[in-house]
Amino acid sequence: MKKLLHLMKPYKWTAVCAVLFTLMNNICVLYLPGVFAKIINKGALKGDMPYVYKMGGLMLLVAVLSGVTYIASAIYASKVTSSFARDLRRSVFVKAQEYSMSDYQKFGSASLITRCTNDITIIQRSFMMILQMLLPAPIMAVVGLVLAFRTNATMGLVMAAIIVITGGIAFSIGSKAIPLFRQLQVKMDNLTRILREIISGVRVIRAFHREKYEEERFGSSCKDYCDIAIETNKIFAVLLPTLTLLTNLGIICILLFGGVKVSEGIMQIGSIFALIEYLTIILFTVTMSILVFMEIPRAQSCGERLSEVLDLEPEIQDKENALTQDSALSPIRAQLEFRNVSFRYTNAEEAVLNKISFTSKAGETTAIIGGTGSGKSTIANLIPRFFDVDEGEILIDGVDIRNLSQKELRSRIGFIPQKTFLFRGTIASNIRYGKEDASDTEMIQAAKNSPGSYLHIFHGKGI
Ligand SMILES: Nc1ncnc2c1ncn2[C@@H]1O[C@H](COP(=O)(O)OP(=O)(O)OP(=O)(O)O)[C@@H](O)[C@H]1O
Ligand SMILES: [Mg+2]
């Protein structure tokens, strides 16, 4: 989590501006009921119209100021949170680029996508609400109560009691949604995983007429998500009318207690309106901040999921003294040697490769032939270090590939995967993917060299 908060650092002053503007807006909002009370007490009740116009003008001015400060606070808050989300997305993406294949398998690509999209959006929204609602809420409540006490001390106490009771009830109902929020994230992960499988496996699904089965599988995952979402919404369905009811009960209390005070001549009628306004504003602020408070654990679990991605040390890393372009093997002779190589996939029961040794000499074409699942692609994947060998070594021109930087190693390899993958663009742009500045002649030659759909590692720059 610390790492995530660290990304906020460059925007701390923008965040301070957002909170300050929100506070100014809150002060404007809290200032209005007092003016309103004066208009009634000193103007309307006494028939002093010039006073009514003067104070009415003041109200208008404060209302405009309130609007302007609100816009400013929203702009600053959105600047902070959007920039933070952009930086976080970039960091997660850059980190994921460093992952080796087995690191990707740890999370699953669907979960990585959910983390980079949905989770970051939730964190961004929560930060926005924290800046605009939660941080200014205590000040707003205290200032509102002080103003209520100033109007009438007993009424201030009545209001404080109403606020504490309403806040307590809202919290006890709302906190039931916290574990549900966590479950929602897991269900969303499942949903994305199934959707990804269905979209990428559409040919297999059609070939075996499994559309109905997949429909049911996806439907059941949607239902799981929907059930939890309904449970969460049920809590809010109870919470919001309860809050409205409690606010109305609070207003009735103020009317009752205030009515007695007015009849005793201790308080004027305009002050009752002001107190009702204070109460409504404070209760709104308190309940909104309770809602934000409930979002925090959800954002926290998203933050933890993102920290997992950012904190993972990639399994395959360059050695400190890895050979780079300047220091690397030269001249290139391109001899590839497997020496007693053994390899087992993580969580697999048996090794795929057992003490494999062979040499592919420069200028030679080496074909690896074997049955399905015998490990041909695995051999190919070990050469660019998509996975690292468990035992033995792979050498290029006598140098262990683990002593080369990954960048240097891969720049020496031309690789055509078994399963074709095309990026959006033209065939030419796809052929040029590994060498953007390739000339047309080189590009056409590469297309001619292309062996079709079977696996082939060709003798490019290095091997
Ligand atoms: N990422 C992986 N995690 C776990 N096991 C894997 C992984 N990739 C392949 N395997 C398993 O390793 C074995 C060798 O797979 P590999 O893809 O290397 O075979 P292959 O010889 O290329 O097969 P084919 O002729 O079908 O292309 C298979 O049993 C396969 O199921
Ligand atoms: Mg294969």
Side-chain angles (χ1 to χ4, degrees):
M1 281 302 272
K2 255 188 195 166
K3 221 175 209 170
L4 300 194
L5 289 176
H6 192 75
L7 288 173
M8 263 301 215
K9 226 174 167 186
Y11 311 110
K12 63 173 187 271
W13 291 115
T14 321
V16 169
C17 286
V19 176
L20 281 180
F21 275 117
T22 310
L23 278 175
M24 280 161 71
N25 168 261
N26 291 348
I27 288 166
C28 291
V29 170
L30 282 170
Y31 185 73
L32 287 174
V35 185
F36 186 53
K38 278 183 190 161
I39 290 178
I40 295 176
N41 293 342
K42 294 185 183 167
L45 290 178
K46 293 182 180 160
D48 185 352
M49 288 319 281
Y51 185 80
V52 172
Y53 291 137
K54 197 176 97 186
M55 295 311 268
L58 180 65
M59 262 187 105
L60 195 66
L61 204 72
V62 177
V64 170
L65 194 63
S66 154
V68 170
T69 48
Y70 182 81
I71 293 170
S73 89
I75 291 173
Y76 277 106
S78 134
K79 250 188 191 173
V80 178
T81 53
S82 305
S83 313
F84 167 76
R86 180 200 57 206
D87 292 356
L88 184 54
R89 241 177 223 126
R90 194 181 291 154
S91 306
V92 172
F93 179 75
V94 168
K95 186 72 191 189
Q97 294 268 77
E98 292 171 15
Y99 281 180
S100 58
M101 297 302 134
S102 50
D103 297 326
Y104 280 115
Q105 283 176 3
K106 276 178 203 148
F107 296 108
S109 46
S111 177
L112 272 175
I113 292 171
T114 319
R115 287 170 205 232
C116 205
T117 50
N118 190 50
D119 286 15
I120 293 181
T121 308
I122 288 172
I123 294 183
Q124 179 183 357
R125 202 181 55 205
S126 300
F127 266 137
M128 182 94 176
M129 292 201 284
I130 289 172
L131 286 178
Q132 287 207 290
M133 293 177 198
L134 195 64
L135 289 183
I139 299 172
M140 183 89 165
V142 170
V143 174
L145 273 175
V146 168
L147 290 173
F149 268 98
R150 265 185 46 186
T151 311
N152 184 284
T154 324
M155 294 308 294
L157 279 177
V158 173
M159 258 180 66
I162 297 169
I163 290 162
V164 170
I165 293 169
T166 311
I169 293 174
F171 189 75
S172 67
I173 299 176
S175 57
K176 290 190 172 54
I178 293 173
L180 295 178
F181 277 149
R182 286 185 198 273
Q183 286 183 37
L184 272 179
Q185 290 318 103
V186 180
K187 299 287 174 198
M188 179 51 84
D189 256 6
N190 268 343
L191 199 95
T192 322
R193 182 179 52 77
I194 293 175
L195 193 61
R196 194 186 138 273
E197 277 174 16
I198 291 174
I199 292 172
S200 47
V202 67
R203 284 186 223 180
V204 182
I205 295 168
R206 294 210 178 144
F208 289 94
H209 299 298
R210 297 288 279 173
E211 289 93 341
K212 191 97 198 109
Y213 167 78
E214 292 300 340
E215 249 176 61
E216 278 164 17
R217 194 158 75 104
F218 184 64
S220 135
S221 177
C222 285
K223 186 179 172 305
D224 276 0
Y225 183 83
C226 174
D227 286 347
I228 308 271
I230 290 174
E231 283 304 308
T232 319
N233 284 330
K234 270 187 198 163
I235 292 171
F236 284 102
V238 174
L239 183 64
L240 295 177
T242 310
L243 289 175
T244 315
L245 181 72
L246 289 169
T247 309
N248 285 329
L249 284 176
I251 292 173
I252 292 170
C253 284
I254 288 185
L255 285 173
L256 279 176
F257 285 95
V260 174
K261 299 267 175 220
V262 171
S263 67
E264 285 171 356
I266 301 170
M267 214 168 71
Q268 286 182 293
I269 191 126
S271 307
I272 293 188
F273 286 109
L275 286 170
I276 289 174
E277 275 288 297
Y278 289 140
L279 181 76
T280 322
I281 295 166
I282 297 174
L283 281 186
F284 179 76
T285 315
V286 169
T287 48
M288 287 316 277
S289 43
I290 286 170
L291 292 183
V292 179
F293 219 74
M294 280 157 38
E295 276 274 321
I296 290 177
R298 189 185 191 187
Q300 222 172 355
S301 79
C302 292
E304 280 159 18
R305 281 154 57 90
L306 290 163
S307 298
E308 276 172 15
V309 177
L310 293 172
D311 292 343
L312 185 88
E313 281 300 317
E315 214 170 89
I316 296 176
Q317 292 192 45
D318 287 349
K319 280 187 182 170
E320 235 171 64
N321 52 352
L323 301 174
T324 55
Q325 204 156 13
D326 310 325
S327 56
L329 1 129
S330 67
I332 301 164
R333 289 187 294 110
Q335 173 164 302
L336 170 73
E337 184 183 351
F338 269 55
R339 214 179 266 171
N340 285 325
V341 169
S342 297
F343 176 75
R344 184 174 67 87
Y345 284 105
T346 323
N347 300 329
E349 279 176 16
E350 286 177 25
V352 187
L353 305 176
N354 264 315
K355 300 210 177 300
I356 300 278
S357 296
F358 68 89
T359 304
S360 168
K361 292 199 185 115
E364 276 184 7
T365 300
T366 305
I368 300 166
I369 302 164
T372 303
S374 55
K376 304 180 294 295
S377 297
T378 307
I379 288 180
N381 287 332
L382 290 176
I383 302 166
R385 288 189 77 195
F386 292 156
F387 299 92
D388 260 350
V389 298
D390 296 329
E391 275 174 45
E393 46 190 348
I394 300 171
L395 307 122
I396 291 180
D397 293 338
V399 177
D400 189 322
I401 54 170
R402 286 169 295 194
N403 291 333
L404 287 168
S405 74
Q406 292 172 67
K407 189 168 175 244
E408 176 57 22
L409 169 69
R410 287 170 194 161
S411 76
R412 289 165 175 264
I413 298 171
F415 185 80
I416 302 170
Q418 181 165 358
K419 203 173 154 200
T420 324
F421 182 84
L422 291 177
F423 289 95
R424 195 190 170 90
T426 59
I427 299 290
S429 70
N430 271 280
I431 295 175
R432 279 200 174 99
Y433 190 74
K435 192 181 177 195
E436 276 178 317
D437 56 354
S439 68
D440 283 354
T441 327
E442 278 180 303
M443 191 262 293
I444 292 164
Q445 190 55 47
K448 283 182 179 161
N449 286 348
S450 172
S453 61
Y454 58 90
L455 175 79
H456 180 93
I457 293 196
F458 66 84
H459 292 256
K461 190 177 159 197
I463 316 165

